[in-house]
Short mmCIF file of all heavy atoms in Angstrom, two decimals:
data_model
loop_
_atom_site.label_atom_id
_atom_site.label_comp_id
_atom_site.label_asym_id
_atom_site.label_seq_id
_atom_site.Cartn_x
_atom_site.Cartn_y
_atom_site.Cartn_z
N LYS A 576 0.81 -1.21 0.00
CA LYS A 576 0.00 0.00 0.00
C LYS A 576 0.85 1.26 0.00
O LYS A 576 0.35 2.33 -0.31
CB LYS A 576 -0.91 0.00 1.23
CG LYS A 576 -1.93 -1.10 1.22
CD LYS A 576 -2.77 -1.06 2.46
CE LYS A 576 -3.73 -2.24 2.48
NZ LYS A 576 -4.52 -2.26 3.70
N GLU A 577 2.10 1.13 0.37
CA GLU A 577 2.97 2.30 0.50
C GLU A 577 4.29 2.09 -0.23
O GLU A 577 4.78 0.97 -0.34
CB GLU A 577 3.27 2.57 1.98
CG GLU A 577 2.04 2.86 2.78
CD GLU A 577 2.33 2.89 4.27
OE1 GLU A 577 3.44 2.55 4.70
OE2 GLU A 577 1.42 3.25 5.00
N VAL A 578 4.86 3.18 -0.68
CA VAL A 578 6.16 3.15 -1.33
C VAL A 578 7.24 2.91 -0.27
O VAL A 578 7.20 3.49 0.81
CB VAL A 578 6.43 4.49 -2.04
CG1 VAL A 578 7.83 4.54 -2.62
CG2 VAL A 578 5.39 4.72 -3.12
N ARG A 579 8.20 2.06 -0.59
CA ARG A 579 9.36 1.85 0.27
C ARG A 579 10.46 2.78 -0.21
O ARG A 579 10.70 2.89 -1.42
CB ARG A 579 9.87 0.42 0.17
CG ARG A 579 9.24 -0.63 1.05
CD ARG A 579 7.85 -0.41 1.39
NE ARG A 579 7.30 -1.52 2.19
CZ ARG A 579 6.02 -1.71 2.32
NH1 ARG A 579 5.16 -0.92 1.73
NH2 ARG A 579 5.57 -2.69 3.05
N HIS A 580 11.15 3.45 0.72
CA HIS A 580 12.23 4.37 0.40
C HIS A 580 13.54 3.80 0.93
O HIS A 580 13.61 3.43 2.09
CB HIS A 580 11.98 5.74 1.03
CG HIS A 580 10.71 6.37 0.56
ND1 HIS A 580 10.64 7.10 -0.60
CD2 HIS A 580 9.46 6.33 1.07
CE1 HIS A 580 9.40 7.51 -0.77
NE2 HIS A 580 8.66 7.05 0.22
N PRO A 581 14.59 3.75 0.12
CA PRO A 581 15.87 3.18 0.56
C PRO A 581 16.64 4.15 1.45
O PRO A 581 17.71 4.64 1.09
CB PRO A 581 16.59 2.90 -0.76
CG PRO A 581 16.05 3.94 -1.69
CD PRO A 581 14.62 4.15 -1.29
N GLN A 582 16.09 4.43 2.62
CA GLN A 582 16.72 5.35 3.57
C GLN A 582 17.46 4.56 4.65
O GLN A 582 16.91 3.60 5.19
CB GLN A 582 15.66 6.21 4.27
CG GLN A 582 14.91 7.14 3.36
CD GLN A 582 15.73 8.38 3.05
OE1 GLN A 582 16.60 8.77 3.81
NE2 GLN A 582 15.45 8.98 1.92
N GLN A 583 18.67 4.97 4.95
CA GLN A 583 19.40 4.37 6.06
C GLN A 583 19.34 5.33 7.24
O GLN A 583 20.08 6.31 7.29
CB GLN A 583 20.84 4.08 5.67
CG GLN A 583 20.94 2.94 4.67
CD GLN A 583 22.35 2.45 4.53
OE1 GLN A 583 23.30 3.22 4.51
NE2 GLN A 583 22.51 1.15 4.41
N LEU A 584 18.44 5.01 8.16
CA LEU A 584 18.25 5.84 9.35
C LEU A 584 18.62 5.04 10.59
O LEU A 584 18.29 3.86 10.69
CB LEU A 584 16.78 6.27 9.45
CG LEU A 584 16.24 7.05 8.26
CD1 LEU A 584 14.75 7.25 8.41
CD2 LEU A 584 16.95 8.38 8.14
N PRO A 585 19.30 5.67 11.54
CA PRO A 585 19.67 4.94 12.76
C PRO A 585 18.48 4.78 13.69
O PRO A 585 17.73 5.73 13.94
CB PRO A 585 20.75 5.83 13.39
CG PRO A 585 20.42 7.21 12.89
CD PRO A 585 19.82 7.03 11.53
N LEU A 586 18.29 3.56 14.19
CA LEU A 586 17.25 3.26 15.16
C LEU A 586 17.83 2.39 16.26
O LEU A 586 18.73 1.59 16.01
CB LEU A 586 16.09 2.49 14.51
CG LEU A 586 15.30 3.17 13.41
CD1 LEU A 586 14.27 2.20 12.84
CD2 LEU A 586 14.64 4.43 13.91
N ARG A 587 17.31 2.56 17.46
CA ARG A 587 17.66 1.66 18.57
C ARG A 587 16.48 0.72 18.74
O ARG A 587 15.34 1.15 18.86
CB ARG A 587 17.92 2.43 19.85
CG ARG A 587 18.32 1.51 21.01
CD ARG A 587 18.75 2.30 22.23
NE ARG A 587 17.79 3.31 22.61
CZ ARG A 587 17.07 3.28 23.75
NH1 ARG A 587 17.22 2.31 24.60
NH2 ARG A 587 16.23 4.25 24.00
N ILE A 588 16.77 -0.57 18.71
CA ILE A 588 15.75 -1.61 18.80
C ILE A 588 15.94 -2.35 20.11
O ILE A 588 17.07 -2.69 20.46
CB ILE A 588 15.91 -2.64 17.65
CG1 ILE A 588 16.07 -1.96 16.30
CG2 ILE A 588 14.78 -3.66 17.66
CD1 ILE A 588 14.88 -1.22 15.81
N GLN A 589 14.85 -2.58 20.82
CA GLN A 589 14.96 -3.43 22.01
C GLN A 589 13.76 -4.36 22.09
O GLN A 589 12.67 -4.03 21.62
CB GLN A 589 15.11 -2.61 23.28
CG GLN A 589 13.96 -1.75 23.67
CD GLN A 589 14.29 -0.91 24.89
OE1 GLN A 589 15.34 -0.26 24.95
NE2 GLN A 589 13.41 -0.93 25.85
N GLY A 590 14.02 -5.53 22.62
CA GLY A 590 12.98 -6.55 22.74
C GLY A 590 13.60 -7.85 23.18
O GLY A 590 14.67 -7.86 23.81
N GLN A 591 12.94 -8.95 22.85
CA GLN A 591 13.45 -10.28 23.17
C GLN A 591 13.77 -11.02 21.88
O GLN A 591 13.02 -10.92 20.91
CB GLN A 591 12.42 -11.08 23.97
CG GLN A 591 12.18 -10.52 25.35
CD GLN A 591 11.21 -11.39 26.14
OE1 GLN A 591 10.58 -12.28 25.61
NE2 GLN A 591 11.11 -11.10 27.41
N ASP A 592 14.87 -11.76 21.91
CA ASP A 592 15.21 -12.57 20.74
C ASP A 592 14.40 -13.86 20.76
O ASP A 592 13.55 -14.06 21.64
CB ASP A 592 16.72 -12.82 20.66
CG ASP A 592 17.27 -13.66 21.80
OD1 ASP A 592 16.49 -14.32 22.52
OD2 ASP A 592 18.50 -13.66 21.97
N SER A 593 14.64 -14.74 19.81
CA SER A 593 13.86 -15.98 19.69
C SER A 593 14.06 -16.92 20.87
O SER A 593 13.25 -17.82 21.08
CB SER A 593 14.20 -16.69 18.38
OG SER A 593 15.56 -17.06 18.38
N LYS A 594 15.10 -16.70 21.65
CA LYS A 594 15.37 -17.53 22.83
C LYS A 594 14.86 -16.89 24.12
O LYS A 594 15.08 -17.41 25.20
CB LYS A 594 16.86 -17.80 22.95
CG LYS A 594 17.42 -18.58 21.78
CD LYS A 594 18.91 -18.74 21.87
CE LYS A 594 19.41 -19.47 20.63
NZ LYS A 594 20.86 -19.55 20.58
N GLY A 595 14.20 -15.73 23.99
CA GLY A 595 13.65 -15.06 25.16
C GLY A 595 14.62 -14.14 25.87
O GLY A 595 14.30 -13.59 26.92
N GLN A 596 15.82 -13.95 25.31
CA GLN A 596 16.82 -13.09 25.90
C GLN A 596 16.57 -11.63 25.49
O GLN A 596 16.34 -11.35 24.31
CB GLN A 596 18.24 -13.49 25.46
CG GLN A 596 18.62 -14.90 25.86
CD GLN A 596 18.75 -15.04 27.36
OE1 GLN A 596 19.38 -14.23 28.02
NE2 GLN A 596 18.14 -16.09 27.90
N ILE A 597 16.63 -10.71 26.44
CA ILE A 597 16.44 -9.29 26.15
C ILE A 597 17.67 -8.77 25.42
O ILE A 597 18.80 -9.10 25.75
CB ILE A 597 16.21 -8.50 27.45
CG1 ILE A 597 14.89 -8.95 28.07
CG2 ILE A 597 16.19 -7.00 27.19
CD1 ILE A 597 14.61 -8.38 29.44
N PHE A 598 17.44 -7.95 24.38
CA PHE A 598 18.55 -7.36 23.65
C PHE A 598 18.25 -5.90 23.33
O PHE A 598 17.10 -5.48 23.28
CB PHE A 598 18.85 -8.14 22.36
CG PHE A 598 17.84 -7.91 21.27
CD1 PHE A 598 18.04 -6.92 20.31
CD2 PHE A 598 16.69 -8.68 21.19
CE1 PHE A 598 17.10 -6.71 19.31
CE2 PHE A 598 15.76 -8.48 20.19
CZ PHE A 598 15.96 -7.49 19.25
N VAL A 599 19.31 -5.14 23.11
CA VAL A 599 19.24 -3.76 22.63
C VAL A 599 20.27 -3.67 21.52
O VAL A 599 21.41 -4.09 21.69
CB VAL A 599 19.55 -2.73 23.74
CG1 VAL A 599 19.57 -1.32 23.17
CG2 VAL A 599 18.56 -2.85 24.88
N GLU A 600 19.87 -3.12 20.38
CA GLU A 600 20.77 -3.04 19.24
C GLU A 600 20.52 -1.74 18.48
O GLU A 600 19.38 -1.33 18.31
CB GLU A 600 20.51 -4.24 18.33
CG GLU A 600 21.56 -4.45 17.28
CD GLU A 600 21.37 -5.77 16.56
OE1 GLU A 600 20.81 -6.73 17.12
OE2 GLU A 600 21.78 -5.83 15.38
N VAL A 601 21.59 -1.07 18.05
CA VAL A 601 21.47 0.11 17.20
C VAL A 601 21.71 -0.36 15.77
O VAL A 601 22.71 -1.02 15.49
CB VAL A 601 22.47 1.21 17.61
CG1 VAL A 601 22.41 2.38 16.63
CG2 VAL A 601 22.17 1.69 19.03
N VAL A 602 20.77 -0.02 14.88
CA VAL A 602 20.82 -0.50 13.50
C VAL A 602 20.54 0.66 12.54
O VAL A 602 20.09 1.72 12.95
CB VAL A 602 19.78 -1.62 13.26
CG1 VAL A 602 20.04 -2.80 14.16
CG2 VAL A 602 18.37 -1.08 13.42
N LEU A 603 20.79 0.41 11.27
CA LEU A 603 20.37 1.31 10.20
C LEU A 603 19.25 0.63 9.43
O LEU A 603 19.33 -0.56 9.13
CB LEU A 603 21.53 1.61 9.23
CG LEU A 603 22.66 2.46 9.77
CD1 LEU A 603 23.78 2.55 8.74
CD2 LEU A 603 22.16 3.85 10.13
N THR A 604 18.22 1.39 9.09
CA THR A 604 17.15 0.83 8.27
C THR A 604 17.68 0.53 6.88
O THR A 604 18.59 1.20 6.39
CB THR A 604 15.96 1.80 8.18
OG1 THR A 604 16.41 3.03 7.62
CG2 THR A 604 15.33 2.04 9.53
N GLN A 605 17.11 -0.47 6.24
CA GLN A 605 17.40 -0.78 4.84
C GLN A 605 16.46 0.01 3.94
O GLN A 605 16.85 0.50 2.90
CB GLN A 605 17.22 -2.28 4.58
CG GLN A 605 18.13 -3.16 5.40
CD GLN A 605 19.58 -2.94 5.02
OE1 GLN A 605 19.95 -3.17 3.88
NE2 GLN A 605 20.39 -2.52 5.96
N ASN A 606 15.20 0.09 4.38
CA ASN A 606 14.21 0.93 3.71
C ASN A 606 13.11 1.25 4.70
O ASN A 606 12.97 0.58 5.72
CB ASN A 606 13.67 0.27 2.43
CG ASN A 606 12.90 -1.00 2.69
OD1 ASN A 606 11.88 -1.00 3.37
ND2 ASN A 606 13.39 -2.10 2.14
N ILE A 607 12.33 2.30 4.37
CA ILE A 607 11.26 2.72 5.26
C ILE A 607 10.01 3.05 4.44
O ILE A 607 10.10 3.32 3.25
CB ILE A 607 11.64 3.96 6.11
CG1 ILE A 607 11.93 5.17 5.21
CG2 ILE A 607 12.83 3.66 7.01
CD1 ILE A 607 12.11 6.47 5.96
N SER A 608 8.87 2.99 5.10
CA SER A 608 7.61 3.46 4.53
C SER A 608 6.92 4.23 5.65
O SER A 608 7.42 4.30 6.77
CB SER A 608 6.75 2.29 4.06
OG SER A 608 6.26 1.56 5.16
N LEU A 609 5.78 4.78 5.36
CA LEU A 609 5.07 5.56 6.35
C LEU A 609 4.71 4.71 7.57
O LEU A 609 4.71 5.21 8.69
CB LEU A 609 3.81 6.16 5.73
CG LEU A 609 3.19 7.34 6.44
CD1 LEU A 609 4.19 8.47 6.65
CD2 LEU A 609 1.99 7.84 5.67
N SER A 610 4.46 3.42 7.38
CA SER A 610 4.02 2.59 8.50
C SER A 610 4.95 1.44 8.85
O SER A 610 4.59 0.56 9.62
CB SER A 610 2.63 2.03 8.21
OG SER A 610 2.69 1.16 7.10
N GLY A 611 6.18 1.45 8.32
CA GLY A 611 7.05 0.34 8.64
C GLY A 611 8.48 0.56 8.22
O GLY A 611 8.85 1.63 7.74
N ALA A 612 9.28 -0.49 8.40
CA ALA A 612 10.70 -0.43 8.05
C ALA A 612 11.23 -1.84 7.86
O ALA A 612 10.67 -2.81 8.37
CB ALA A 612 11.49 0.28 9.15
N CYS A 613 12.33 -1.91 7.14
CA CYS A 613 13.08 -3.14 6.98
C CYS A 613 14.48 -2.87 7.52
O CYS A 613 15.06 -1.82 7.25
CB CYS A 613 13.15 -3.54 5.51
SG CYS A 613 14.20 -4.96 5.19
N LEU A 614 15.00 -3.80 8.32
CA LEU A 614 16.33 -3.60 8.90
C LEU A 614 17.02 -4.94 9.12
O LEU A 614 16.39 -5.99 9.01
CB LEU A 614 16.23 -2.81 10.20
CG LEU A 614 15.15 -3.23 11.21
CD1 LEU A 614 15.68 -4.25 12.17
CD2 LEU A 614 14.68 -2.00 11.96
N LEU A 615 18.31 -4.88 9.40
CA LEU A 615 19.09 -6.08 9.70
C LEU A 615 19.41 -6.10 11.19
O LEU A 615 19.89 -5.11 11.74
CB LEU A 615 20.40 -6.08 8.91
CG LEU A 615 20.29 -6.24 7.40
CD1 LEU A 615 21.67 -6.10 6.77
CD2 LEU A 615 19.66 -7.55 7.01
N LEU A 616 19.18 -7.25 11.83
CA LEU A 616 19.50 -7.44 13.24
C LEU A 616 20.54 -8.55 13.39
O LEU A 616 20.62 -9.44 12.56
CB LEU A 616 18.25 -7.85 14.03
CG LEU A 616 17.18 -6.81 14.25
CD1 LEU A 616 15.99 -7.43 14.97
CD2 LEU A 616 17.71 -5.63 15.05
N ASN A 617 21.27 -8.49 14.49
CA ASN A 617 22.20 -9.57 14.84
C ASN A 617 21.49 -10.72 15.52
O ASN A 617 22.00 -11.82 15.57
CB ASN A 617 23.30 -9.05 15.77
CG ASN A 617 24.28 -8.17 15.05
OD1 ASN A 617 24.79 -8.52 14.00
ND2 ASN A 617 24.53 -6.99 15.60
N LYS A 618 20.31 -10.46 16.07
CA LYS A 618 19.56 -11.46 16.84
C LYS A 618 18.42 -12.03 16.02
O LYS A 618 17.73 -11.31 15.30
CB LYS A 618 18.97 -10.82 18.11
CG LYS A 618 19.99 -10.23 19.04
CD LYS A 618 20.71 -11.33 19.78
CE LYS A 618 21.64 -10.74 20.83
NZ LYS A 618 22.28 -11.75 21.61
N GLU A 619 18.20 -13.32 16.17
CA GLU A 619 17.03 -13.94 15.54
C GLU A 619 15.81 -13.61 16.38
O GLU A 619 15.83 -13.73 17.61
CB GLU A 619 17.20 -15.46 15.47
CG GLU A 619 16.03 -16.16 14.83
CD GLU A 619 16.18 -17.67 14.80
OE1 GLU A 619 17.17 -18.20 15.34
OE2 GLU A 619 15.29 -18.31 14.23
N ILE A 620 14.74 -13.18 15.71
CA ILE A 620 13.49 -12.88 16.40
C ILE A 620 12.35 -13.60 15.70
O ILE A 620 12.52 -14.14 14.61
CB ILE A 620 13.23 -11.37 16.48
CG1 ILE A 620 13.24 -10.74 15.10
CG2 ILE A 620 14.25 -10.69 17.38
CD1 ILE A 620 12.90 -9.28 15.10
#
């Protein structure tokens, strides 16, 4: 429904990984839209 823009913006992500461990990671977006984003994480979620 929305255009994806190839913007690399810094974000801090926090939550739990697939093993239930809490993590905090600073990442750059791969692309963004008005209601979402695509990014690369070191943790499996």
Side-chain angles (χ1 to χ4, degrees):
K576 295 179 184 177
E577 298 170 353
V578 175
R579 274 30 177 198
H580 300 275
Q582 295 281 335
Q583 290 193 320
L584 302 173
L586 297 176
R587 182 172 51 113
I588 312 293
Q589 65 184 49
Q591 292 183 350
D592 65 16
S593 62
K594 297 176 183 174
Q596 299 293 313
I597 295 173
F598 74 93
V599 176
E600 193 171 332
V601 175
V602 300
L603 290 174
T604 58
Q605 299 295 299
N606 65 61
I607 63 171
S608 70
L609 199 55
S610 64
C613 174
L614 46 90
L615 293 175
L616 289 176
N617 288 311
K618 300 285 186 176
E619 180 182 4
I620 56 176

